[in-house]
């Protein structure tokens, strides 16, 4: 198991889990807020739609293309 921090809360996930899957497991499944105020979530699962953008260890990344690592800090855009 890997422990990471999702929006300030600890979360344990299995090795090989993507950050997008961790969002679904440990939160409401959303990754950001659109310019119109709607919460958005990963859609395509292959990095094309860009809906899964999150901040990981201070850098913007695609959650569906990033595997969870021990101690990773993930922040969704509220």
């Amino acid at each position: 198991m890997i422990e990471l921090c999702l929006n300030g809360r600890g979360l344990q996930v299995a090795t090989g889990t993507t950050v997008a899957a961790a969002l679904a497991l440990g939160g409401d499944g959303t990754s950001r807020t659109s310019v119109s105020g709607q919460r958005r979530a990963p859609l395509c699962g292959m990095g094309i739609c860009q809906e899964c953008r999150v901040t990981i260890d201070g850098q913007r990344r695609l959650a569906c293309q990033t595997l969870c690592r021990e101690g990773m800090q993930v922040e969704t855009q509220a």
Side-chain angles (χ1 to χ4, degrees), residues 19-63:
V19 174
L23 294 174
L25 292 169
D28 63 0
T30 63
S31 54
R32 64 184 192 89
T33 302
S34 71
V35 294
S36 63
Q38 296 176 323
R39 291 298 290 162
R40 306 299 292 176
L43 180 65
C44 72
M46 60 185 169
I48 302 296
C49 72
Q50 307 281 307
E51 292 294 344
C52 66
R53 293 176 303 222
V54 294
T55 302
I56 299 173
D57 296 332
Q59 296 185 337
R60 297 296 282 167
R61 303 267 190 213
L62 296 177

Side-chain angles (χ1 to χ4, degrees), residues 8-30:
R9 294 186 340 247
L11 175 65
Q12 286 190 337
V13 296
T15 301
T17 301
T18 64
V19 174
L23 294 174
L25 292 169
D28 63 0
T30 63

